[in-house]
């Protein structure tokens, strides 16, 4: 019977248990080999490293193999091989390996002898694995589930291949564009002993240099005890000090240590290096600091690097002031902590995060919070499917039918997607396409066994034959799903949450009359028009014009329900949207909203019987093309005032159904939205389902679209709350930074933007009333005036912002500007009730 079925996987606000395959504790001393500290000198820890992006200007594979040299001269396979070669027979040298995605690609192709040599280099402390996650994840748009998953996967690979000494102790986030508190908290909980960060506001960095606060303690959580993490940063950026780059890529003179050679320059080089160190030492409280030697895709011919570094270090032997030696981050962290303890030094504690990051007056890196909205959504879909398939494959083991291998690829691709040029949207267009290709393939592969696993669970007798072919409809967002155009199909709804929920299933269909049979008999349903005809979409299957909606009620935790859907002939159980002709209300007395006929916009909302005036509208900022332009990383509007998407009355149509009422608003060719309310008494929210795209730009100005929720007569005193990677909330204050002074007038809008990974909240303490908006993907957002929440939904720009991508962020699909569809869920209530947690 179940010959054709689709799997609807949904995960709303799911709480995930943290499981990481490492335990707190120490590792045998043999894993570490630190060169001695000289207590009478300044100790300079030289850290040879290569920063290898898991995709950016080139795809992951192009970087690994070193193809497309004209784009970037970078081949990670050579980097790993040559740096390992350079360590052999040179016990003084040290090197760190960071990205497990690349290391794994390399490892698979090595012979046993070399693998054994690598294990020895790790065991003797010459090769230190740091970070160890699949990629160096972004910290703004990434969700904590995915961070945990990609660490779990990287660490598992390292443990399984190299063993205990490969367990990283130090986090290495030298390039992500701002740093999140939740990330520090996660690392602390995973047993990491330190974290090296790279990008923070330039004023913050300068102040920390002046006040000797580059080393500090980060309190990662206000609620958890074990969340404090020693955190540090380089005196400067993560690249090699100017003048000391010896690589094949660099133009500097090598070091010549033969005193008889007329070009002998060791003394000169040592003097130059020491001069730089004189500056750096003033930034630190202790007599230790880190000096990175490396950079993007460095060490492709590692022997050149190392042999010159050897000579430089040798030149420092017997130096009066400086003890310069090869080191690793864990040796550094240990040395600093020893000194702090011995001298009873006091490190400062930080309790918030490093967002937003500005690298200069007009360069706030807040555009990437929203850049590439459809890839950000697809990544979240990937996470949902990974969580569900992880659970299902673990059920499969119960039946002695291990399907774990089918999700390996999805785990890996999701690890890659977390990279700070992937989920951020800061890669070249061709690379973005490759990420989407990999994720699509991984999802398809991962869902193959789900039918078998669920079939096994359904069997009453071992010999029962149940053959489910389950499919996820990845293009349901544009009303495409092949299966649901059949006359008969089965919908499987799986609840990966640890609590019972009601989920509304929405299926693209072409029929007008259906019969839906679930475990409790026949189900009620509505058939509405789709949000859009999606007639611009060119795919193998045609978009459907309608949506079938029914409730899967009271789904038990980790439970599955099946619904048998049958298309009926003759009858017509569907009405199209109709124009509204006067002010109109929707929903029930407990939960609903009203639409003003004059404006076509929402003007009042009721939730849990509480009614408030409230409105919502779309606006846009014009992204500047002046240098520093608004681009993939940077958000820089020409004016601080956002213009409404249209000043005309918007076209409004509506339909009231049995389960749900919907209002369709057509602003113009760029913006369409459905506002909907489900009429049960469960979910206390109003849903805003938006479609924004084909944004029209001109030569000088890009377009950056926001949605704004406006609550009149609301006092939040410039304070709002945004979540940190989908977990704890962080308090934000307009125009204010807790750690340093800045001038908000430089960029009044952009400097107040924060990452909203899942939720933004404003509170009127006096009225005991809070309003929260939850989103379905990461976005940039703010509350620029009291009672107002805004979220950026889409951006299309005309210039590159000059941070390396070399392309304007100008996404197209089907021959026009990219459309993005997404949902916002608005809820409110008394602060004491904390409605933001409901969904
Ligand atoms: C690491 O690998 C060892 C050897 O295979 C295994 O016994 C151990 O359980 C692994 N540790 C973790 C935390 O997975
Ligand atoms: C090492 O080599 C890379 C190129 O692979 C170069 O860019 C880098 O500056 C070199 N680093 C040092 C410390 O010599
Ligand atoms: C519609 O609602 C507005 C307030 O939102 C009100 O001013 C106006 O009088 C109403 N119109 C009618 C016809 O009720
Ligand atoms: C719909 O989802 C697909 C796959 O995730 C994505 O490529 C596409 O851009 C999305 N379309 C819209 C309108 O959001």
């Amino acid at each position: 019977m179940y010959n054709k079925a689709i799997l609807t996987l949904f995960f709303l606000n799911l709480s995930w248990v943290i499981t990481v395959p490492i335990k707190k504790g120490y590792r045998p001393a043999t894993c570490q080999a630190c060169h001695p500290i000289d207590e009478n000198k300044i100790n300079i820890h030289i850290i040879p490293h290569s920063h290898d992006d898991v995709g950016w200007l080139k795809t992951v594979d192009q970087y690994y193999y070193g193809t497309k040299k004209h784009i970037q001269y970078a081949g990670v396979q050579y980097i790993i091989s040559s740096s390992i070669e350079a360590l052999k027979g040179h016990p003084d040298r040290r090197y760190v390996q960071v990205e497990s995605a690349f290391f794994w690609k390399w490892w698979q192709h090595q012979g046993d002898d070399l693998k054994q040599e690598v294990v020895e280099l790790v065991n003797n402390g010459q090769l230190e694995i740091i970070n160890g996650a699949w990629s160096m994840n972004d910290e703004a748009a990434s969700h904590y589930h995915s961070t945990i998953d990609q660490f779990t996967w990287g660490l598992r690979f390292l443990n399984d291949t190299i063993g205990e000494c490969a367990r990283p102790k130090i986090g290495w986030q030298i390039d992500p564009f701002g740093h999140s508190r939740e990330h520090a908290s996660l690392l602390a909980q995973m047993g990491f002993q330190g974290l090296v960060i790279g990008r923070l506001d330039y004023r913050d960095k300068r102040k920390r240099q002046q006040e000797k606060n580059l080393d500090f303690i980060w309190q990662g959580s206000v609620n958890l005890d074990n969340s404090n993490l020693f955190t540090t940063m380089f005196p400067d950026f993560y690249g090699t000090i100017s003048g000391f780059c010896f690589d094949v890529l660099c133009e500097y003179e090598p070091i010549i240590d033969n005193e008889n050679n007329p070009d002998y320059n060791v003394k000169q080089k040592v003097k130059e290096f020491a001069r730089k160190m004189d500056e750096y030492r003033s930034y630190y409280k202790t007599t230790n600091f880190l000096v990175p030697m490396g950079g993007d895709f460095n060490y492709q011919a590692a022997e050149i690097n190392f042999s010159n570094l050897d000579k430089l270090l040798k030149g420092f032997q017997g130096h009066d002031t400086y003890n310069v030696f090869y080191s690793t981050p864990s040796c550094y962290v240990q040395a600093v902590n020893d000194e702090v303890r011995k001298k009873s030094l006091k490190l400062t504690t930080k309790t918030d995060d490093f967002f937003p990051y500005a690298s200069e007056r007009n360069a706030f890196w807040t555009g990437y919070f929203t850049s590439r909205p459809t890839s950000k959504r697809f990544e979240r879909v990937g996470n949902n499917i990974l969580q569900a398939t992880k659970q299902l494959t673990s059920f499969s083991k119960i039946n002695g039918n291990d399907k774990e291998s089918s999700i390996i690829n999805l785990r890996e691709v999701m690890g890659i997607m977390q990279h700070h040029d992937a989920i951020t949207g800061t890669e070249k267009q061709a690379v973005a396409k490759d990420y989407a290709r990999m994720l699509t393939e991984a999802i398809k592969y991962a869902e193959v066994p789900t039918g078998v696993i669920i079939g096994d669970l359904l069997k009453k007798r071992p010999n029962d034959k149940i053959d489910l072919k389950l499919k996820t409809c990845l293009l349901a967002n544009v009303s495409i799903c092949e299966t649901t155009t059949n006359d008969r199909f089965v919908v499987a709804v799986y609840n990966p949450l640890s609590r019972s929920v009601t989920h509304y299933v929405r299926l693209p269909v072409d029929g007008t009359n259906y019969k839906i049979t679930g475990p409790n008999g026949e189900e009620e349903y509505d058939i509405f028009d789709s949000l859009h005809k999606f007639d611009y979409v060119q795919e193998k299957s045609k978009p459907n014009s309608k949506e079938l909606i029914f409730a899967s009620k009271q789904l038990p935790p980790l439970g599955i329900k099946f619904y048998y859907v049958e298309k009926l002939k003759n009858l017509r159980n569907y009405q199209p949207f109709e124009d509204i002709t006067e002010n109109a209300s929707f929903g029930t007395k407990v939960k609903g909203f009203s639409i003003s006929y004059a404006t076509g916009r929402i003007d009042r909302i009721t939730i849990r019987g509480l009614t408030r005036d409230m409105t919502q509208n779309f606006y846009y900022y014009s992204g500047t093309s002046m240098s520093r332009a608004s681009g993939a990383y940077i958000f820089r509007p020409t004016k601080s005032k956002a213009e409404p998407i249209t000043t005309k009355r918007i076209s409004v149509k509506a339909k009231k159904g049995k389960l749900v009422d919907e209002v369709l608003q057509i602003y113009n060719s760029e913006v369409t939205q459905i506002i909907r309310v489900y009429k049960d008494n469960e979910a206390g929210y109003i849903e805003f389902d938006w479609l924004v795209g084909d944004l029209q730009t001109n030569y000088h100005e890009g377009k950056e679209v926001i949605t704004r929720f406006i609550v009149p007569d609301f006092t939040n005193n410039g304070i709002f709350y945004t979540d940190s990677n989908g977990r704890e909330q962080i308090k934000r204050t307009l125009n204010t930074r807790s750690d340093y002074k800045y001038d908000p007038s430089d960029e009044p809008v952009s400097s107040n933007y924060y990452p909203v990974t899942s939720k933004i909240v404003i509170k009127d303490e006096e009225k005991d009333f809070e309003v929260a908006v939850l989103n379905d993907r990461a976005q940039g957002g703010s509350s620029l005036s009291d009672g107002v929440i805004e979220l950026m939904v889409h951006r299309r720009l005309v210039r590159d912002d000059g941070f390396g991508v070399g392309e304007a962020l100008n996404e197209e699909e089907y021959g026009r500007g990219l459309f993005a569809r997404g949902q916002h869920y608005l809820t409110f209530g008394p602060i004491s009730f904390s409605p933001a947690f409901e969904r």
Side-chain angles (χ1 to χ4, degrees):
M1 171 172 103
Y2 296 116
N3 62 338
K4 284 241 171 156
I6 76 151
L7 176 63
T8 308
L9 302 162
F10 70 93
F11 315 84
L12 301 170
N13 216 11
L14 90 174
S15 45
W16 194 250
V17 184
I18 301 175
T19 49
V20 181
I22 54 171
K23 290 191 202 83
K24 273 205 165 177
Y26 81 109
R27 60 183 182 182
T30 51
C31 302
Q32 203 185 40
C34 303
H35 288 298
I37 301 299
D38 186 336
E39 289 185 8
N40 301 313
K41 289 184 186 171
I42 304 293
N43 295 284
I44 297 174
H45 297 249
I46 298 289
I47 312 287
H49 79 102
S50 183
H51 177 67
D52 304 336
D53 290 307
V54 183
W56 180 39
L57 308 180
K58 306 204 288 186
T59 68
V60 183
D61 276 334
Q62 288 164 356
Y63 274 133
Y64 179 73
Y65 290 106
T67 50
K68 305 244 178 208
K69 287 203 180 95
H70 62 284
I71 300 179
Q72 200 172 4
Y73 187 75
V76 178
Q77 55 170 333
Y78 310 124
I79 294 172
I80 301 175
S81 290
S82 80
S83 43
I84 282 166
E85 200 55 41
L87 292 178
K88 287 197 265 176
H90 294 274
D92 277 357
R93 294 177 179 175
R94 297 288 179 274
Y95 187 71
V96 292
Q97 173 58 41
V98 182
E99 298 86 1
S100 288
F102 283 134
F103 197 43
W104 170 80
K105 275 182 193 291
W106 181 86
W107 180 265
Q108 287 178 311
H109 297 116
Q110 310 310 316
D112 288 345
D113 288 352
L114 186 52
K115 283 181 178 169
Q116 194 46 44
E117 283 170 342
V118 171
V119 172
E120 278 158 23
L121 288 169
V122 172
N123 288 350
N124 76 20
Q126 275 192 272
L127 178 61
E128 180 163 303
I129 311 284
I130 50 175
N131 223 48
W134 212 245
S135 67
M136 186 185 297
N137 64 256
D138 164 56
E139 299 184 45
S142 56
H143 196 278
Y144 79 96
H145 294 166
S146 301
T147 303
I148 292 170
D149 278 344
Q150 75 121 359
F151 268 87
T152 306
W153 198 243
L155 301 190
R156 192 198 285 190
F157 154 71
L158 292 167
N159 184 51
D160 288 352
T161 50
I162 298 174
E164 173 63 13
C165 283
R167 192 181 107 200
K169 287 201 279 190
I170 308 298
W172 187 255
Q173 294 286 112
I174 60 174
D175 196 28
F177 327 131
H179 299 284
S180 84
R181 192 177 74 184
E182 183 57 33
H183 194 82
S185 172
L186 290 173
L187 289 187
Q189 292 168 69
M190 290 183 216
F192 278 66
Q193 294 167 7
L195 166 64
V196 184
I197 58 171
R199 292 187 190 262
L200 58 160
D201 188 286
Y202 66 101
R203 289 154 287 218
D204 194 1
K205 177 91 179 237
R206 199 185 300 143
K207 183 159 176 262
R208 286 174 179 277
Q209 287 171 335
Q210 286 161 358
E211 297 176 355
K212 302 181 194 288
N213 285 328
L214 299 185
D215 293 322
F216 64 98
I217 303 297
W218 200 347
Q219 188 186 334
S221 166
V222 285
N223 302 315
L224 299 166
D225 293 336
N226 57 342
S227 68
N228 281 8
L229 190 66
F230 172 83
T231 307
T232 187
M233 55 193 101
F234 302 128
D236 220 321
F237 203 50
Y238 66 73
T240 301
I241 299 167
S242 160
F244 291 88
C245 167
F246 308 115
D247 203 72
V248 287
L249 298 179
C250 305
E251 72 235 55
Y252 298 105
E253 296 289 327
I255 294 192
I256 297 158
D257 58 353
N258 177 351
E259 290 187 39
N260 299 324
N261 186 308
D263 291 330
Y264 171 82
N265 62 1
V266 174
K267 284 218 171 75
Q268 179 56 29
K269 285 279 174 190
V270 164
K271 213 185 274 172
E272 266 175 52
F273 197 82
R275 220 178 292 136
K276 200 73 197 165
M277 297 307 111
D278 293 344
E279 178 195 330
Y280 286 174
R281 61 183 286 198
S282 71
Y283 302 156
Y284 293 87
K285 281 186 181 137
T286 70
T287 57
N288 287 276
F289 59 88
L290 283 175
V291 172
M293 280 294 199
D296 292 3
F297 300 96
N298 272 209
Y299 293 81
Q300 287 185 79
E303 187 54 34
I304 304 178
N305 287 90
F306 275 111
S307 62
N308 282 286
L309 278 171
D310 285 349
K311 289 172 191 162
L312 180 70
L313 300 198
K314 208 164 142 215
F316 267 98
Q317 275 173 10
H319 194 278
D320 295 342
T321 319
Y322 295 111
N323 175 31
V324 187
F325 51 94
Y326 285 119
S327 187
T328 66
S330 76
C331 289
Y332 171 70
V333 170
Q334 191 178 311
V336 172
N337 282 297
D338 286 350
E339 191 178 345
V340 164
R341 211 171 307 118
K342 204 175 284 174
K343 299 187 180 163
S344 302
L345 301 173
K346 190 106 188 78
L347 298 181
T348 53
T349 299
K350 183 175 175 67
T351 54
D352 61 354
D353 61 6
F354 291 98
F355 288 117
Y357 161 57
S359 54
E360 60 193 38
R361 252 184 71 194
N362 297 108
F364 281 85
W365 297 46
T366 54
Y368 85 91
F369 298 160
T370 302
S371 295
R372 299 193 190 277
T374 62
S375 357
K376 281 189 168 65
R377 174 61 195 157
F378 195 27
E379 183 280 331
R380 204 63 78 77
V381 170
N383 177 45
N384 292 345
I385 294 177
L386 179 56
Q387 304 311 329
T389 51
K390 267 190 341 195
Q391 294 176 0
L392 289 172
T393 51
S394 65
F395 296 154
S396 75
K397 290 180 195 155
I398 302 169
N399 291 316
N401 195 359
D402 192 348
K403 301 286 182 196
E404 174 76 28
S405 62
S406 70
I407 60 167
I408 289 177
N409 195 233
L410 184 54
R411 287 181 190 272
E412 290 170 0
V413 175
M414 284 302 294
I416 289 170
M417 291 305 294
Q418 306 313 310
H419 167 58
H420 59 274
D421 292 303
I423 191 172
T424 51
T426 55
E427 70 282 42
K428 278 187 184 289
Q429 185 60 47
V431 177
K433 274 205 180 122
D434 192 60
Y435 286 136
R437 173 193 65 81
M438 287 193 289
L439 186 52
T440 307
E441 284 173 14
I443 288 173
K444 280 192 185 142
Y445 194 69
E447 69 188 11
V448 170
T450 52
V452 180
I453 297 165
I454 293 172
D456 276 351
L457 294 172
L458 289 175
K459 278 183 194 166
K460 295 222 169 60
R461 287 172 299 269
N463 294 335
D464 286 355
K465 267 222 166 81
I466 302 177
D467 179 17
L468 296 174
K469 288 192 182 62
L470 295 177
K471 257 193 222 155
T472 317
C473 284
L474 291 177
L475 289 178
N477 61 346
V478 290
S479 253
I480 293 179
C481 183
E482 236 176 297
T483 317
T484 54
T485 56
N486 291 321
D487 289 348
R488 267 174 225 98
F489 55 90
V490 171
V491 182
V493 187
Y494 174 62
N495 177 14
L497 301 175
S498 52
R499 59 187 160 85
S500 161
V501 290
T502 290
H503 177 66
Y504 285 93
V505 178
R506 307 186 68 94
L507 305 169
V509 292
D510 54 5
T512 56
N513 194 18
Y514 286 86
K515 183 176 172 192
I516 304 173
T517 315
N520 307 321
E522 204 170 326
E523 293 290 346
E524 278 194 312
Y525 66 87
D526 285 319
I527 301 176
F528 282 12
D529 286 317
S530 295
L531 168 61
H532 193 275
K533 287 199 179 68
F534 298 105
D535 42 6
Y536 66 89
V537 172
Q538 296 147 27
E539 295 287 341
K540 269 191 269 121
S541 316
K542 272 211 163 52
N544 296 304
S545 55
K546 301 177 196 69
E547 266 181 27
L548 176 67
I549 306 134
F550 66 93
S552 177
K553 289 182 213 112
Q554 296 301 326
L555 263 165
L558 306 184
I560 298 178
K561 281 189 182 178
F562 292 89
Y563 296 86
Y564 187 70
V565 183
E566 214 176 335
K567 198 191 277 181
L568 302 181
K569 298 262 149 51
N570 309 324
L571 275 164
R572 196 177 144 87
N573 217 341
Y574 145 84
Q575 302 283 324
F577 281 116
E578 282 162 17
D579 287 327
I580 69 166
T581 52
E582 52 188 9
N583 290 348
S585 297
F586 301 88
T588 64
K589 284 209 184 75
V590 179
K591 184 171 58 171
F593 60 89
S594 54
I595 295 286
S596 148
Y597 176 70
T599 61
R601 292 197 294 271
I602 203 162
D603 64 0
R604 202 168 309 135
I605 294 182
T606 303
I607 288 173
R608 293 186 192 83
L610 207 63
T611 300
R612 283 284 184 280
D613 284 350
M614 202 173 281
T615 150
Q616 180 268 344
N617 197 1
F618 287 93
Y619 299 80
Y620 69 96
Y621 294 104
S622 299
T624 186
S625 61
M626 278 180 351
S627 178
R628 187 65 77 178
S630 213
Y633 302 93
I634 304 300
F635 167 38
R636 189 176 177 208
T638 54
K639 292 188 301 233
S640 51
K641 188 169 170 290
E643 300 294 331
I645 274 287
T646 175
T647 49
K648 299 200 186 91
R649 179 185 178 275
I650 56 185
S651 143
V652 212
K653 292 164 188 284
K655 165 111 194 267
K656 295 187 179 187
K658 293 193 245 3
L659 306 173
V660 58
D661 288 353
E662 300 200 346
V663 170
L664 173 73
Q665 300 173 311
I666 301 171
Y667 284 70
N668 57 19
S669 62
E670 297 176 331
V671 176
T672 309
Q673 176 172 259
I674 285 179
I675 305 176
R676 66 172 63 98
V677 55
Y678 292 104
K679 300 204 254 196
D680 61 64
N681 291 328
E682 278 198 38
Y685 62 83
I686 305 294
E687 183 176 330
F688 296 79
D689 186 356
W690 45 267
L691 177 72
V692 174
D694 199 17
L695 302 174
Q696 301 300 302
T697 55
N698 63 40
Y699 186 75
H700 300 290
E701 290 178 348
K703 202 173 235 179
E704 319 204 24
V705 179
I706 58 164
T707 178
R708 242 182 218 168
F709 299 87
I710 303 160
V711 195
D713 196 22
F714 190 98
T715 310
N716 52 298
N717 298 312
I719 293 169
F720 56 104
Y721 300 81
T722 59
D723 67 298
S724 188
N725 307 116
R727 215 141 173 237
E728 293 178 355
Q729 292 184 58
I730 297 188
K731 182 176 174 178
R732 313 295 186 183
T733 308
L734 202 63
N735 298 331
T736 307
R737 303 281 192 264
S738 56
D739 288 355
Y740 59 97
K741 284 207 166 52
Y742 89 109
D743 184 355
S745 69
D746 287 340
E747 287 295 333
V749 178
S750 189
S751 73
N752 281 304
Y753 257 60
Y754 289 88
V756 180
T757 315
S758 68
K759 180 165 59 191
I760 179 166
V761 182
I762 50 175
K763 304 182 185 188
D764 187 328
E765 305 276 351
E766 201 117 298
K767 296 198 177 76
D768 186 28
F769 183 61
E770 81 174 45
V771 179
V773 180
L774 290 82
N775 56 9
D776 64 344
R777 77 199 68 189
Q779 293 164 327
S782 190
S783 171
L784 297 172
S785 45
D786 274 14
V788 181
I789 287 176
E790 74 179 53
L791 287 163
M792 187 176 286
V793 296
H794 199 356
R795 41 204 321 260
R796 187 181 194 191
L797 301 164
V798 295
R799 291 280 180 286
D800 174 47
D801 52 15
F803 286 109
V805 184
E807 291 175 2
L809 182 73
N810 177 14
E811 294 182 277
E812 296 193 342
E813 196 174 37
Y814 315 118
R816 64 175 74 195
L818 174 80
F819 272 100
R821 180 182 185 176
Q823 285 89 41
H824 289 130
Y825 306 89
L826 179 134
T827 184
F828 59 66
I831 295 173
S832 41
F833 194 76
S834 216
F837 294 100
E838 291 256 319
R839 197 160 166 177

